[in-house]
mmCIF file of all heavy atoms in Angstrom:
data_model
loop_
_atom_site.group_PDB
_atom_site.id
_atom_site.type_symbol
_atom_site.label_atom_id
_atom_site.label_comp_id
_atom_site.label_asym_id
_atom_site.label_seq_id
_atom_site.Cartn_x
_atom_site.Cartn_y
_atom_site.Cartn_z
ATOM 1 N N THR B 35 -1.259 24.761 -57.274
ATOM 2 C CA THR B 35 -0.369 25.295 -58.309
ATOM 3 C C THR B 35 0.842 25.917 -57.625
ATOM 4 O O THR B 35 1.620 26.680 -58.225
ATOM 5 C CB THR B 35 -1.077 26.352 -59.162
ATOM 6 O OG1 THR B 35 -1.498 27.430 -58.276
ATOM 7 C CG2 THR B 35 -2.253 25.774 -59.871
ATOM 8 N N LEU B 36 1.033 25.660 -56.343
ATOM 9 C CA LEU B 36 2.182 26.203 -55.614
ATOM 10 C C LEU B 36 3.417 25.414 -56.009
ATOM 11 O O LEU B 36 3.343 24.317 -56.517
ATOM 12 C CB LEU B 36 1.926 26.186 -54.110
ATOM 13 C CG LEU B 36 0.714 26.956 -53.628
ATOM 14 C CD1 LEU B 36 0.609 26.912 -52.103
ATOM 15 C CD2 LEU B 36 0.684 28.377 -54.138
ATOM 16 N N CYS B 37 4.608 25.937 -55.677
ATOM 17 C CA CYS B 37 5.832 25.189 -55.941
ATOM 18 C C CYS B 37 5.845 23.901 -55.182
ATOM 19 O O CYS B 37 5.387 23.859 -54.066
ATOM 20 C CB CYS B 37 7.057 26.046 -55.445
ATOM 21 S SG CYS B 37 7.214 27.662 -56.131
ATOM 22 N N ALA B 38 6.339 22.956 -55.827
ATOM 23 C CA ALA B 38 6.453 21.642 -55.146
ATOM 24 C C ALA B 38 7.347 21.855 -53.911
ATOM 25 O O ALA B 38 8.397 22.468 -53.987
ATOM 26 C CB ALA B 38 7.102 20.606 -56.047
ATOM 27 N N GLY B 39 6.850 21.385 -52.780
ATOM 28 C CA GLY B 39 7.588 21.532 -51.613
ATOM 29 C C GLY B 39 7.233 22.740 -50.763
ATOM 30 O O GLY B 39 7.746 22.955 -49.667
ATOM 31 N N CYS B 40 6.355 23.555 -51.253
ATOM 32 C CA CYS B 40 5.924 24.774 -50.484
ATOM 33 C C CYS B 40 5.250 24.349 -49.212
ATOM 34 O O CYS B 40 4.335 23.487 -49.259
ATOM 35 C CB CYS B 40 4.979 25.605 -51.371
ATOM 36 S SG CYS B 40 4.322 27.033 -50.477
ATOM 37 N N GLY B 41 5.614 24.973 -48.116
ATOM 38 C CA GLY B 41 5.015 24.628 -46.830
ATOM 39 C C GLY B 41 3.512 24.842 -46.788
ATOM 40 O O GLY B 41 2.812 24.135 -46.050
ATOM 41 N N HIS B 42 2.995 25.785 -47.607
ATOM 42 C CA HIS B 42 1.594 26.041 -47.582
ATOM 43 C C HIS B 42 0.732 24.850 -47.960
ATOM 44 O O HIS B 42 -0.340 24.694 -47.461
ATOM 45 C CB HIS B 42 1.319 27.180 -48.590
ATOM 46 C CG HIS B 42 2.030 28.471 -48.334
ATOM 47 N ND1 HIS B 42 2.767 28.723 -47.231
ATOM 48 C CD2 HIS B 42 2.119 29.613 -49.138
ATOM 49 C CE1 HIS B 42 3.275 29.977 -47.314
ATOM 50 N NE2 HIS B 42 2.901 30.478 -48.460
ATOM 51 N N GLY B 70 -1.669 36.398 -52.257
ATOM 52 C CA GLY B 70 -0.316 35.852 -52.010
ATOM 53 C C GLY B 70 -0.400 34.345 -52.337
ATOM 54 O O GLY B 70 -1.488 33.821 -52.555
ATOM 55 N N CYS B 71 0.801 33.680 -52.314
ATOM 56 C CA CYS B 71 0.746 32.248 -52.541
ATOM 57 C C CYS B 71 -0.118 31.596 -51.475
ATOM 58 O O CYS B 71 -0.971 30.742 -51.720
ATOM 59 C CB CYS B 71 2.157 31.650 -52.434
ATOM 60 S SG CYS B 71 3.280 32.309 -53.701
ATOM 61 N N SER B 72 0.093 32.020 -50.213
ATOM 62 C CA SER B 72 -0.671 31.454 -49.114
ATOM 63 C C SER B 72 -2.174 31.676 -49.365
ATOM 64 O O SER B 72 -2.972 30.775 -49.112
ATOM 65 C CB SER B 72 -0.240 32.113 -47.836
ATOM 66 O OG SER B 72 0.122 33.451 -48.042
ATOM 67 N N ASN B 143 6.163 32.692 -43.943
ATOM 68 C CA ASN B 143 7.463 32.263 -44.516
ATOM 69 C C ASN B 143 8.497 33.378 -44.535
ATOM 70 O O ASN B 143 9.621 33.225 -45.034
ATOM 71 C CB ASN B 143 7.292 31.681 -45.922
ATOM 72 C CG ASN B 143 6.570 32.640 -46.843
ATOM 73 O OD1 ASN B 143 6.496 33.826 -46.550
ATOM 74 N ND2 ASN B 143 6.088 32.154 -47.969
ATOM 75 N N VAL B 145 8.829 35.818 -46.227
ATOM 76 C CA VAL B 145 9.025 36.509 -47.525
ATOM 77 C C VAL B 145 7.684 36.685 -48.244
ATOM 78 O O VAL B 145 6.677 36.098 -47.889
ATOM 79 C CB VAL B 145 9.910 35.743 -48.514
ATOM 80 C CG1 VAL B 145 11.370 35.747 -48.037
ATOM 81 C CG2 VAL B 145 9.416 34.350 -48.732
ATOM 82 N N TYR B 146 7.730 37.497 -49.318
ATOM 83 C CA TYR B 146 6.687 37.587 -50.255
ATOM 84 C C TYR B 146 6.986 36.506 -51.279
ATOM 85 O O TYR B 146 7.948 36.605 -52.038
ATOM 86 C CB TYR B 146 6.635 38.941 -50.934
ATOM 87 C CG TYR B 146 6.246 40.095 -50.144
ATOM 88 C CD1 TYR B 146 6.164 41.362 -50.695
ATOM 89 C CD2 TYR B 146 5.853 39.939 -48.792
ATOM 90 C CE1 TYR B 146 5.804 42.488 -49.953
ATOM 91 C CE2 TYR B 146 5.461 41.085 -48.019
ATOM 92 C CZ TYR B 146 5.470 42.312 -48.631
ATOM 93 O OH TYR B 146 5.061 43.403 -47.953
ATOM 94 N N GLY B 147 6.216 35.454 -51.300
ATOM 95 C CA GLY B 147 6.390 34.437 -52.269
ATOM 96 C C GLY B 147 5.930 34.884 -53.676
ATOM 97 O O GLY B 147 6.691 34.870 -54.636
ATOM 98 N N LEU B 148 4.662 35.258 -53.728
ATOM 99 C CA LEU B 148 4.053 35.522 -55.032
ATOM 100 C C LEU B 148 4.779 36.633 -55.825
ATOM 101 O O LEU B 148 4.771 36.588 -57.023
ATOM 102 C CB LEU B 148 2.586 35.894 -54.835
ATOM 103 C CG LEU B 148 1.680 35.763 -56.081
ATOM 104 C CD1 LEU B 148 1.701 34.344 -56.641
ATOM 105 C CD2 LEU B 148 0.272 36.202 -55.728
ATOM 106 N N LYS B 150 7.917 37.198 -55.576
ATOM 107 C CA LYS B 150 9.249 36.744 -55.841
ATOM 108 C C LYS B 150 10.366 37.230 -54.884
ATOM 109 O O LYS B 150 11.331 37.765 -55.278
ATOM 110 C CB LYS B 150 9.659 36.972 -57.276
ATOM 111 C CG LYS B 150 8.783 36.195 -58.274
ATOM 112 C CD LYS B 150 9.331 36.311 -59.689
ATOM 113 C CE LYS B 150 8.380 35.729 -60.699
ATOM 114 N NZ LYS B 150 8.273 34.308 -60.639
ATOM 115 N N SER B 219 5.922 28.382 -42.238
ATOM 116 C CA SER B 219 5.670 27.646 -43.413
ATOM 117 C C SER B 219 6.667 28.031 -44.521
ATOM 118 O O SER B 219 6.611 29.143 -45.053
ATOM 119 C CB SER B 219 4.245 27.923 -43.946
ATOM 120 O OG SER B 219 4.004 27.339 -45.164
ATOM 121 N N PRO B 220 7.601 27.205 -44.812
ATOM 122 C CA PRO B 220 8.744 27.638 -45.625
ATOM 123 C C PRO B 220 8.400 27.864 -47.109
ATOM 124 O O PRO B 220 7.556 27.232 -47.662
ATOM 125 C CB PRO B 220 9.713 26.496 -45.500
ATOM 126 C CG PRO B 220 8.891 25.280 -45.271
ATOM 127 C CD PRO B 220 7.735 25.774 -44.454
ATOM 128 N N CYS B 221 9.126 28.840 -47.692
ATOM 129 C CA CYS B 221 9.020 29.075 -49.077
ATOM 130 C C CYS B 221 10.274 28.501 -49.719
ATOM 131 O O CYS B 221 11.389 29.008 -49.537
ATOM 132 C CB CYS B 221 8.986 30.609 -49.349
ATOM 133 S SG CYS B 221 9.144 31.090 -51.069
ATOM 134 N N VAL B 222 10.085 27.402 -50.406
ATOM 135 C CA VAL B 222 11.274 26.769 -50.956
ATOM 136 C C VAL B 222 11.889 27.520 -52.149
ATOM 137 O O VAL B 222 13.022 27.420 -52.470
ATOM 138 C CB VAL B 222 10.950 25.284 -51.437
ATOM 139 C CG1 VAL B 222 10.626 24.434 -50.244
ATOM 140 C CG2 VAL B 222 9.784 25.283 -52.450
ATOM 141 N N ALA B 223 11.114 28.372 -52.748
ATOM 142 C CA ALA B 223 11.580 29.111 -53.925
ATOM 143 C C ALA B 223 12.419 30.324 -53.514
ATOM 144 O O ALA B 223 13.441 30.585 -54.150
ATOM 145 C CB ALA B 223 10.428 29.516 -54.806
ATOM 146 N N PHE B 224 12.037 30.989 -52.478
ATOM 147 C CA PHE B 224 12.732 32.288 -52.218
ATOM 148 C C PHE B 224 13.318 32.379 -50.810
ATOM 149 O O PHE B 224 13.942 33.363 -50.511
ATOM 150 C CB PHE B 224 11.759 33.443 -52.422
ATOM 151 C CG PHE B 224 11.340 33.547 -53.864
ATOM 152 C CD1 PHE B 224 10.012 33.190 -54.198
ATOM 153 C CD2 PHE B 224 12.218 33.900 -54.840
ATOM 154 C CE1 PHE B 224 9.596 33.198 -55.510
ATOM 155 C CE2 PHE B 224 11.787 33.962 -56.187
ATOM 156 C CZ PHE B 224 10.520 33.587 -56.508
ATOM 157 N N ASN B 225 13.085 31.452 -50.030
ATOM 158 C CA ASN B 225 13.661 31.564 -48.674
ATOM 159 C C ASN B 225 14.272 30.242 -48.223
ATOM 160 O O ASN B 225 14.155 29.858 -47.077
ATOM 161 C CB ASN B 225 12.553 32.009 -47.730
ATOM 162 C CG ASN B 225 13.105 32.953 -46.634
ATOM 163 O OD1 ASN B 225 14.327 33.288 -46.629
ATOM 164 N ND2 ASN B 225 12.267 33.368 -45.700
HETATM 165 S S1 SF4 C 15 7.064 30.996 -54.154
HETATM 166 FE FE1 SF4 C 15 7.362 30.229 -52.052
HETATM 167 S S2 SF4 C 15 5.442 30.611 -50.998
HETATM 168 FE FE2 SF4 C 15 5.042 30.762 -53.205
HETATM 169 S S3 SF4 C 15 4.411 28.708 -53.750
HETATM 170 FE FE3 SF4 C 15 6.592 28.848 -54.152
HETATM 171 S S4 SF4 C 15 7.439 28.026 -52.298
HETATM 172 FE FE4 SF4 C 15 5.389 28.560 -51.850
#
Side-chain angles (χ1 to χ4, degrees):
Chain B
T35 61
L36 303 183
C37 304
C40 176
H42 301 350
C71 297
S72 35
N143 55 16
V145 289
Y146 290 180
L148 197 60
K150 298 187 185 290
S219 172
C221 170
V222 292
F224 298 107
N225 215 1

